[in-house]
Amino acid sequence: MQPFTSIADLGRGLARGDYSARELAAFYLERIAAANDDLNAFIRVTEERALGAAEAADRSIARGEGGPLTGIPLAHKDIFCTDGVATTCASRMLAGFVPPYDATVVARLAAAGTVCLGKTNMDEFAMGSSNETSWFGPARNPWDRGRAPGGSSGGSAAAVGAGLVPCATGTDTGGSIRQPAAFCGVTGLKPTYGRVSRYGMIAFASSLDQGGAFGRSVEDVETVLGAMEGHDPLDSTSAERGPTRRSGGRNGAERMRIGLPSEYWTGLPGDLGGCLLAAAQELEQAGHALVSLSLPHTDAAVPAYYVIAGAEASANLSRYDGVRFGLRAEDPTDLDDLYRRSRAAGFGTEVKRRILTGTYTLSVGYYDAYYLKAQRVRRRIQQDFLEAFDDVDAIAAPVAPGPAFELGAVDDPVAMYRQDVFTTPASLAGLPAMSMPCGLVDGLPVGLQLIGPPFEEGRLLNLGSEFQQRTDWHLRHPET
Amino acid sequence: MPARDWESVIGLEIHVQLATRSKIFSGADAAFGAAPNTRACAVDLGMPGVLPVLNREAVRMALTFGLAIDAEIARTCRFDRKNYFYPDLPKGYQISQFDQPIVGAGVMEMEVDGATRRIGIRRAHLEEDAGKSLHEEYADMTGIDLNRAGTPLLEVVSEPDLRTPAEAAAFFREMHALVRYLGICDGNLNEGSMRCDANVSVRRRDQEGLGERTEIKNLNSFRFVRQAIAHEIDRQIAVLESGGSVVRETRLYDPRGDETRPMRGKELSEDYRYFPDPDLLPVRVTPDLLAEARARVPELPRDKRRRYREELGLSDADTRFLTADPDVAGYFEATLATGCGAKPAANWIMERVTGSLNRTGLDIARCPVTSGQLGRLIARIEEGVISGKIAGTVFDVLWEEGGDVDAIIDARGLRQVSDADEIGRVVREVVNDHPEQVEQFRAGREKVLGFFVGRVMRATGGKADPGQVNVLLRDALRGP
Amino acid sequence: MDRKTLDRLTRLSQLQLSAEEERLVLDDLGHIVALIDEMRAVDTEGVEPLAHPLDMDQPLRDDAVTEAVDRARFLAVAPLTRDGLYLVPRVVE
Ligand SMILES: [Mg+2]
Ligand SMILES: [Zn+2]
C-alpha cells in the first residue's frame, strides 16, 4: 500500500482484493498514529468506529454492492457534527460535546461507504487563516512543520497533504478550503453556495459557509463532491440542482476563455507570479484563451467580508451560553455571570474579536455605515463577477499572497485578514472556486485558483483535470 | 385636575399562537402540554449546526389573517434575527420579522356599546415563541422548559386607536373571536395561546400629540387587559398631576396586587441588532399560497352579525351571544339548517343548551344534543306536535340518553293531544268539579282561568295544546 | 473605538474580558475598524444590499410532525439539568 494513491486506484485495489477496506483503514490509522503527534492534523481519531465501518464496507464489496467511495478512508473537519462522536469546532467551548445527530454531509458520505478515520483540526469556529486559533494548538504544514497549514480547514489539508488519509471534508467561508489546499499542496474545492447542505455543519457565517472537499487530485475531489452534494430539505439554503457534471464553457464550448483579473495578478511577488503565470499558460497551451479583465471592487472584499462574517458570527455564536451544551462556568453568582464567564472561558481571543466586531457593525448607529454598506459592496462584487462571466468561462487567480508562512509570523489580526484577499471575493459572491497545486516556491507548494459562475463546478473540474493531465504538481508530496 | 380632563391612548400588541401541528421552523410537535423538553428537537434547542425550515401552514395562516382584516399583503417578506440573551431563548436570537412583515396595514371592525369602531392594524408578523422559565421548583435555580420554543406566533400590532380600558378589552376579545373564526388559533387563554402587551399613554384632552408611553407585558385575559390598563392610566395621571413625568419603560401587571410595576432587567433599553437571518431566504407570497389562504377565510364575525340582525331579525343581544364564539355560531347555523325558526333556535341555544353546558362544564363542540336533534325538537313545537314544556322533557332525555326526538316522543307517549272531543271532555269535567271557581270567573276574576288551564294540563299529562285548551275553557266557563 | 463602546459591546455580547485582554482587544478593534472603513471608498449609491448570494425563494415545509424527541440524548450533553429541565441561576422577572 502506498499512501498517496488516488481514490480510483484505491477502489481498484479493493475490488481486486489486493487489500480489504479494513486493511486499508488500518494502514492509514497507523500512519496517523505515527505522524499526528507531530502534525496535530487530527483532533480525534475514531479507530474503533473506522474499523467497524471498514468491515461493513468489506461486506458491501463482497456482495458486489460497492460504489466509488466504498471502503475509502476519509476524515471530517471537526466542524461537522458526528452522531456519537465528539465535535468541538476546535473550541474549548465545545470540548466534550457529543452531538446526537449527523451533519447531512457526514450521513451522505457514510451512506456512500466511506470510512471516517477521525475529526480534523481547524481554526476555532473556522475563524482564522492559519489554524493557530485552535484550542488544540495548530496543525502543522507537512512540507515544513514550522509553517502553518493554512486555515481554517488546516487539519484536513495537512492530513491529505501528508498522506494520512486520501481525502477529507472541509468548509470554506472566506477561503478556508482553498488557502490550506494551496499551502499543503492538495486540491480543494469550495462549491457554489447552496450546492452542499449546511445542516449539522457548525455555523460561522451562514450566508458564506460552504462545505467542500480536499483530495490529491481533481478527480478525487470530484468523487467526494458527488457523494456530499445535493438538495437537503433540512437546509433552506440548499439548492435544488442536479448532480455536478463535467462541462465545457458557455454553450458547451470545448475551448474556454479564461479571465485573469488585473486586481489579482498585479503586485504579486516575482516567483509566485511567475509560477502562477506558467500555470495559466499551461491552460493556454491546452487550447484555452487567456483574457485579462478587471474586477474593480476586489479591494473592498476583505473589509466587506469581515463585516458580514462578523455580524453573522456574532449571532450564530450566541447559542453558546453554558445552558444546553458546552462549557459552563463553575458556581455562577447569577445569570449574567453564567453567560459572561462561560463565554469568556470558552472562546479564544480571535472568536471574541469577531463577535465584538459583528456586534459593533450591527448595533444602533453603525448598522447602515457598516452592515448595510457591506451588503451593498457585496452586491457590487457579485455584479463584477457576473458581468465578467458574460465574457469569460472561468477566472484564474492566485489563492494566497504567498506560500505557507511560518507559525506565529502573522501576529496582527488585520494582517491575517488580508491573507484572504484573493479568496473572499468568490465567497461573497457565492461562487464555486477551486485550488490546485501549480508549482513550488522556495520548496513550498502554491495553488492556482479557478473561479466559475454559480453551479458551474463542472467547468472548473474539467479545466482542473486537463491541467493535472498535463502537469504533475498534484503528484508531488513532502518527503515521508 | 379631574380624571375626565385626561384622555388615554392605547395600542395593543397581541401574540397569537398559530394552531399548526408542528413548529414554525422544525418538525417537532407543537401541541401544548407534555413533559418538559420532550417536544423540543435539535432545532428548537438551538443545537450547533442545525437549521430552520419554514412551515408552510404558518405562512398560510398569517395570510388568512391578513385577508380577513383587509390588510396589505407583502409580495415577499423576510425573517430577521432579534438578538438578546435569555435562558428561554435557546439561540440567543429570536427569528422574527422586522422591516418586511408578511401582513401590512389593515383594519379590525368591532362594536363597542352598539357603535361600530374601526381599529387600525399596523402590521402582523410571524415569529417563533420562546420557552418557559419555571421559578417555583428550585430555591436558587430556574428551570427551563423549551417545549414552547419554536411555536409559531403571529404578532398583531394595532395602531394606538383605542381610548379606554374597556375598548382595549373589547378589541382583545374581538381578536380572540376572529382568530378562532379563522381557525388559526385555539384561543385557549389559560394555555397562553393569546398574549397581549399594551402600550399606554395619557394626555390632556386639549393636548396635541401623544404623551410618553409605557408598555405592559404579558396580559393573558380580557379582565387583566382592562384592569391593568385602567391601573396604568390612573398611575400615569397621578404621576403627571403631581408634577412628575412618565418614564418610557416596560412594566409587568401583577393581578394579585392589582398594580403594574417596572420589569427588572428591561430598564436597559436593548439594542436588538436586527439583521436578515442568513439561514432563511426571502419568502415569496405566490398566487397559489394567497388563493389557498383566501379559500380559508370564512364568513367573518362582522358579516355574521350584520346577517343575523338584518336577515334573521335577531336582537343585538342574541346576535352578540351567538357570534362571540365560532363554535356557538356554527351550532346555531347547523340548527337553522334543519329548517326551524331563528328566534326559537336562538332561545333554545342561549337558555337550555348553554345552561346545560355550563352546568356540566362541557364545550359546545361536545354537546350531547346535536344541532340536528335540536332543530327537529324545535320543529315539533312549531308543528304543534309537542308543547314547549314537553319539549323540555324531550331535551333532557336527549341530553342524558341521546336518541331521536320523534322516537322519544312516541315511546313516551308525549304527543300533544289536539283532539277537540278529548280535550272538551276533560274541560267539562274540570269545570263541573270546581263550581266555586266558576263563580269567581263569572264574577270577573280573569285570573282564575290560569287555575283551570293548570288543572286541564295536569289531567292530560301536559299533552294538551294550550291554545286549544284556552279556547275550550273560555267557552265552557261562559256557561250554558 | 473607545472603552465605553467596548463596554457596551461586551455587555451586548455577554463576553467578559480580562483587563489585559481588554487592552489588546481595544487596540485590535481599532485596527479592524480602520480595515472595514476601507469599504467607504466604494460608491454604493443606488445599490441594493445583498443579504444572500443565492437568488432563491424560501422553501416551505409541509406542516407535519417529523421529529421524535429523545430528551435523554439532548439532556445528556447539558451541563446542568434536573427533572428534565435545564437549570440556570435563578431568574427574577
Ligand atoms: Mg413586540
Ligand atoms: Zn413578538
Side-chain angles (χ1 to χ4, degrees), chain A residues 37-124:
Chain A
D37 276 355
D38 194 17
L39 278 178
N40 201 24
F42 282 81
I43 288 175
R44 178 172 299 264
V45 180
T46 50
E47 180 163 351
E48 219 168 292
R49 277 178 176 254
L51 294 175
E55 282 164 15
D58 281 328
R59 288 192 292 275
S60 301
I61 293 167
R63 286 194 302 267
E65 289 167 1
L69 282 168
T70 305
I72 302 298
L74 118 173
H76 287 301
K77 183 178 183 180
D78 206 25
I79 200 168
F80 289 102
C81 287
T82 38
D83 194 344
V85 174
T87 300
T88 69
C89 239
S91 180
R92 186 183 178 203
M93 183 56 88
L94 283 175
F97 171 65
V98 180
Y101 46 88
D102 270 333
T104 297
V105 159
V106 169
R108 287 190 178 172
L109 283 166
T114 62
V115 173
C116 176
L117 305 185
K119 308 290 294 286
T120 59
N121 204 349
M122 55 183 282
D123 281 296
E124 182 180 6

Side-chain angles (χ1 to χ4, degrees), chain A residues 353 370 373 376 380 418, chain C residues 28 37-38 42-43 47:
Chain A
R353 272 196 288 263
Y370 290 119
K373 176 81 181 180
R376 294 185 210 278
R380 279 251 191 261
R418 290 199 193 279
Chain C
D28 290 341
D37 274 337
E38 291 174 15
V42 181
D43 177 11
V47 178

Side-chain angles (χ1 to χ4, degrees), chain B residues 20-24 26-27 36-38 40 45 53-56 85-86 135 138-144 268 271 278 280-282 284, chain C residues 8 11-14 52 56-58 60-61 63-67 69 71 74 77 80 82-93:
Chain B
T20 54
R21 279 187 282 270
S22 63
K23 305 238 172 127
I24 183 167
S26 83
N37 292 309
T38 54
L45 295 173
V53 186
L54 182 58
N55 185 335
R56 178 187 174 87
F85 284 86
Y86 206 70
H135 306 295
Y138 313 101
D140 52 340
M141 300 293 259
T142 290
I144 308 295
L268 204 161
D271 178 353
L280 294 161
L281 298 164
R284 200 160 64 86
Chain C
R8 204 167 59 83
R11 213 150 20 105
L12 284 171
S13 58
Q14 295 283 19
H52 212 276
M56 235 171 70
D57 296 330
Q58 171 62 29
L60 300 175
R61 176 176 61 80
D63 180 25
V65 177
T66 52
E67 292 289 315
V69 174
R71 182 176 73 176
F74 290 121
V77 298
L80 188 61
R82 200 180 304 162
D83 307 335
L85 298 166
Y86 297 98
L87 291 192
V88 296
R90 190 163 176 77
V91 178
V92 190
E93 264 162 10

Side-chain angles (χ1 to χ4, degrees), chain B residues 64 67-70 107-111 116-118 174 177-178 181-182 294 297-314 319-320 322-324 329 332-333:
Chain B
T64 295
L67 292 168
I69 60 160
D70 297 320
V107 152
M108 276 267 289
E109 211 174 84
M110 63 172 196
E111 289 179 15
T116 298
R117 288 271 281 125
R118 290 163 62 80
E174 186 68 25
L178 177 64
Y181 267 95
L182 299 176
R294 191 166 282 120
V297 180
E299 184 184 29
L300 298 174
R302 56 161 199 243
D303 300 325
K304 221 179 252 300
R305 282 194 295 259
R306 203 165 296 137
R307 183 165 64 86
Y308 282 16
R309 268 192 297 255
E310 290 169 14
E311 289 176 27
L312 302 180
L314 294 179
T319 297
R320 247 197 321 279
L322 293 170
T323 57
F332 170 65
E333 291 180 18

Side-chain angles (χ1 to χ4, degrees), chain B residues 13-15 82 125 127 155 157 197 199 215 217 274:
Chain B
E13 291 173 19
I14 301 175
H15 283 93
K82 177 183 182 180
H125 67 256
E127 62 185 22
E155 181 176 338
V157 183
D197 303 339
N199 289 296
E215 184 178 15
K217 280 273 178 210
Y274 282 99

